[in-house]
């Protein structure tokens, strides 16, 4: 095949000595496969404490003290832990494997990383190694830890704040130009990450990126519009997405960065809670003209196909998406709505920039036993002001609505129903696609990132933790599947 | 037929890979039968541009998959998943004698992969660009630690894998061009072997006094590995390329200090003075260098014929550890193939030939580098000998055969190192990504 002439057959994968590997650590159980054999190799001597002694002698001596005693070997290299690819995009799958371990032995694989705010997040899973001394997270089920069962990416979506962390945390990357650096370790036995220092056998560092090489990040402060544009490498032009988030505010860039890494220009827009926006940060001080300007800015960009621009919105961003698409002079190619309302009691600023006091949505807030607040009822169709409900009869482009059935922040199921009924009445059902995920919560984000069932919403005037919902493994499955379908939907509507 | 840019989807997976990792290049949403050119562009550290390209035709489903579909022409042809890298060559108009080697291993090699309409052969910048991505190729995995070593007056860099260890160790010796070349050691550390890249020819003392290092220098380097708290002294190897391969053999056979688990010699020769120092080597045979029709220097005859007198060769019959020899049969720089044959005979006579493995590649040349490294048949070479001299050295080899040899040899070298340095492992435990 290769043209190599192998003059000696040694490199064929057949070992030229017999013998059984003995692990370099203590196995609690008496494993029958680990029999000790004499193991003589003519020209191999190993150094033990400065003296050269034949290999077999060492093993016999060690065997006599092996049972029940921790054996830290000075003559065998450590097992290996590998992750592939070791530098990956956030939505890439990673294959994590351990090698050169004793067969049928308990091990723990743990993952640790620091968020941009300096909080430590960690996950761990318990495995029993295979007969060939390997552990493979794509193949093997976890028998304990942050998740159970066979979940190749469980260590990633199963990340939780480490013990002692601040409460109410949510993992969100602020700086998308740097990767998450994940330290993955292989530990002996079924342990928790706090025991890492005394049990670590091997480690591998991997990087997870929101931005592919060559993607350009451009801060936009133009025509009063505040946002960040991400462009794929190359000269373009590119199909594009306008990216809208919820009332948490600020400028959320990571989803746009990933879209650009998949070949779409993408523009993250700020509309509340950003220092470069006018007026007090706790309210929306921009109106329809602002959102239209943002869409047109994207359309008019020399590296964007003006008739191939879509809009994606999460939470309150859904209302903004639908409202924007409803303008007769705004013609998006497609809309993606995740867990958000078709109407709102919150008024946007009018055409002259005058803002009104927000309606008091607090009347609809509900609280659980711990005092955590759920905003869900705020967006029940019955509680939404009728004149704010978007007139979807005028819709001309495909609309995908993604529902987390355990959404505790937004009445997603009810709003999806409302939208579906409206379109059906207008004989436009063919434009509507619904994805509905049991057990998924409000924050359906790019895959392989952890969900927070609740997180800190505000500290003033009072400390409030809000409920998002979502059950760990089900929410993770929803993120993985919905992301794939989002990219397919974009491909169909923006590329063809 | 015209293709709309917005349709074409180009993806390269992984977009950030190690230099010895394969990638998949996929172009989608094409019209069936559509003709395109895939182009690779790399700007190296010296500022020179290197490019490769290949012609493809989309299949009935509108897809081009470089791993499965044949190139119909360009800098490579046929089904070649990694051809866009190993067929990279200096862009037209570049100066002659260039060779691509990364000196700074802490940054990646960036390659821009683009899709152009039609079967193009030149003037790419003026063509209709349909899609483009940037790919990074790294010598260092994340978490690998790079530690400059200056103790013992060494000029060296140690690369340590992530994790607690202990790790097997390796001393990496480059060829007669000198300088501290780190790329192989960085890559080996990315595979779990603590590796020390050693400059032994252009070190401070040599540059200042003209005197070459002696054997103590190598033994000091070995001790740095042996005594390191995260490295297993009993599991150390040496890997030598070209001139460094000769040093490797001498150390493996004669050193009282150096005890190796195994050794790897790439494109090397066992013909040298035994107790002599580096400077004695072959200044006398310079008149045996001859030029080919392109004025490129062929050095291999300097060491031919292989002497029968054993005192003129390293006595490999005394070797006590496994040895892997990697040789290109078209090596025009050293008679590495003839040397391998002779070494085999010596070891058979001595009764230790079970330690020897030879990988011999037809039509491969001297510079057997990590896989996907662009092939160079000849390049400007400044030998750090006494006296030093610069020439256009002919390395030999043919593009495709040499590139295949690099890929195969690296994979087998990693298997050899792991088998010997990890020892007694079941073959099934070895990686499938090799």
């Amino acid at each position: 095949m290769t043209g190599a002439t192998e003059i000696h057959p040694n490199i064929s994968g057949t070992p030229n000595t017999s013998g059984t590997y003995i692990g370099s650590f203590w196995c609690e159980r008496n494993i029958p496969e680990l029999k000790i054999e004499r193991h003589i190799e003519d020209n191999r001597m190993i150094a033990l404490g400065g003296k050269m002694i034949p290999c077999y002698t060492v093993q016999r001596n060690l065997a006599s003290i092996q049972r029940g005693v921790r054996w830290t070997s000075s003559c065998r290299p450590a097992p290996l832990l590998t992750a592939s690819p070791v530098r990956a995009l956030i939505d890439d799958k990673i294959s994590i494997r351990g090698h050169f371990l004793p067969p049928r032995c308990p091990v723990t694989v743990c993952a640790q990383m620091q968020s941009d705010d300096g909080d430590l997040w960690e996950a761990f899973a318990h495995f029993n190694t295979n007969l060939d001394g390997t552990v493979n997270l794509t193949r093997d089920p976890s028998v304990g830890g942050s998740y159970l069962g066979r979940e190749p990416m469980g260590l990633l979506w199963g990340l939780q704040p480490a013990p002692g962390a601040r409460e109410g945390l949510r993992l969100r990357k602020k700086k998308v130009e740097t990767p998450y650096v994940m330290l993955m370790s292989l530990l002996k036995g079924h342990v928790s990450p706090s025991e890492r220092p005394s049990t670590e056998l091997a480690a591998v560092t991997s990087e997870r990126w929101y931005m592919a090489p060559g993607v350009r990040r451009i801060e936009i402060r133009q025509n009063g519009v505040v946002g960040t544009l991400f462009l794929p490498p190359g000269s373009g032009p590119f199909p594009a997405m306008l990216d809208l988030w919820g009332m948490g505010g600020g400028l959320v860039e990571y989803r746009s960065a990933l879209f650009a890494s998949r070949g779409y220009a993408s523009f993250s827009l700020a509309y509340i809670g950003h220092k470069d926006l006018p007026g007090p940060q706790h309210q929306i001080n921009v109106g329809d003209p602002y959102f239209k300007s943002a869409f047109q800015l994207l359309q008019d960009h020399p590296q964007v196909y003006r008739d191939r621009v879509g809009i994606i919105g999460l939470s309150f961003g859904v209302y903004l998406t639908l409202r924007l698409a409803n303008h007769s002079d705004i013609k998006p190619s497609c809309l993606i709505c995740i867990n958000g309302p078709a109407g709102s009691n919150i008024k946007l600023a009018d055409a002259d920039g005058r803002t009104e006091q927000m309606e008091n949505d607090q009347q609809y807030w509900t609280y659980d036993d711990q005092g955590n607040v759920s905003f869900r009822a705020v967006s029940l169709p019955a509680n939404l002001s009728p004149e704010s409900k978007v007139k979807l009869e005028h819709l001309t482009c495909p609309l995908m609505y993604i529902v987390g059935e355990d959404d505790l922040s937004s009445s997603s199921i009810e709003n999806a129903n409302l939208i579906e009924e409206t379109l059906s009445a207008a004989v436009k059902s063919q434009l509507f696609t619904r994805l509905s995920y049991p057990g998924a919560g409000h924050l359906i984000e790019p895959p392989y990132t952890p969900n927070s069932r609740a997180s800190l919403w505000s500290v003033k005037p009072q400390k409030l933790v809000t409920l998002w919902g979502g059950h760990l493994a089900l929410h993770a499955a929803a993120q993985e599947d919905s992301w794939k379908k989002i990219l397919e939907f974009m491909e169909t509507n923006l590329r063809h | 037929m015209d293709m709309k840019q917005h349709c074409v989807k180009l993806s390269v997976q992984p977009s950030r890979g190690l230099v010895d990792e394969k990638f998949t290049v996929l172009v989608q949403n094409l019209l069936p039968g559509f003709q395109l050119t895939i182009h690779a562009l790399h700007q190296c550290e010296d500022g020179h541009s290197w490019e490769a390209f290949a012609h493809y035709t989309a299949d009935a489903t509108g897809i081009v998959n470089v791993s499965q579909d044949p190139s119909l022409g360009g800098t490579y042809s046929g089904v070649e998943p990694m051809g866009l890298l190993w067929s990279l060559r200096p862009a037209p108009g570049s100066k002659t004698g260039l060779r691509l080697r990364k000196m700074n291993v802490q940054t990646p090699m960036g390659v821009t992969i683009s899709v152009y309409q039609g079967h193009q052969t030149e003037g790419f910048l003026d063509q209709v660009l349909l899609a483009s991505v940037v790919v990074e190729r790294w010598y260092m995995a994340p978490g690998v630690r790079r530690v400059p070593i200056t103790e013992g007056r060494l000029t060296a860099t140690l690369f340590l894998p992530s994790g607690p260890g202990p790790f097997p160790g390796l001393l990496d010796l480059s060829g007669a061009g000198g300088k501290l070349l780190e790329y192989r050691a960085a890559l080996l550390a990315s595979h779990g072997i603590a590796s020390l890249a050693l400059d032994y020819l252009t070190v401070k003392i040599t540059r200042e006094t003209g005197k070459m290092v002696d054997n103590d220098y190598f033994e000091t380097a070995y001790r740095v590995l042996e005594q390191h708290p995260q490295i297993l002294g009993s599991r150390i190897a040496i890997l030598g390329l070209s001139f460094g391969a000769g040093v490797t053999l001498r150390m493996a056979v004669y050193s009282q200090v150096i005890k190796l688990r195994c050794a790897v010699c790439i494109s090397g020769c066992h013909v040298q003075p035994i107790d002599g120092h580096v400077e004695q080597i072959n200044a006398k045979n310079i008149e045996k260098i001859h030029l080919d029709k392109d004025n490129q220097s062929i050095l291999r005859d300097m060491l031919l014929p292989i002497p029968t007198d054993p005192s003129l060769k390293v006595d490999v019959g005394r070797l006590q550890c496994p040895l892997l020899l990697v040789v290109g049969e078209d090596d025009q720089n050293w008679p590495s193939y003839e040397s391998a044959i002779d070494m085999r005979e010596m070891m058979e006579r001595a009764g230790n030939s079970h330690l020897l493995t030879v990988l011999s590649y037809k039509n491969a040349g001297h510079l057997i580098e990590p896989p996907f490294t662009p092939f160079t048949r000849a390049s400007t070479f400044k030998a750090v000998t006494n006296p030093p001299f610069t020439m256009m050295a002919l390395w030999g080899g043919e593009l495709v055969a040499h590139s295949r040899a690099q890929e195969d040899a690296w994979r087998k070298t990693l298997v050899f190192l792991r088998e010997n340095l990890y020892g007694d492992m079941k073959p099934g435990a070895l990686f499938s990504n090799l």
Side-chain angles (χ1 to χ4, degrees), chain A residues 44 75-77, chain B residues 167-170 193 232 234-238 260-262 415-425:
Chain A
R44 262 181 232 193
C75 61
R76 290 213 183 274
Chain B
F167 310 108
L170 181 141
I193 302 171
L232 280 169
S234 59
R235 304 265 171 156
I236 295 178
I238 304 187
L260 295 178
R261 189 80 183 176
C262 65
V415 170
F416 175 82
L417 286 172
R418 283 204 184 106
E419 268 190 4
N420 287 287
L421 294 175
Y422 281 86
D424 322 314
M425 301 297 143

Side-chain angles (χ1 to χ4, degrees), chain A residues 362 365 367 371-373 375 456-466:
Chain A
Q362 288 196 31
W365 292 4
Y367 296 84
N372 302 320
V373 62
F375 301 137
L456 200 61
W457 175 251
S458 62
V459 278
K460 292 187 171 102
Q462 67 198 116
K463 191 178 95 167
L464 260 186
V465 170
T466 189

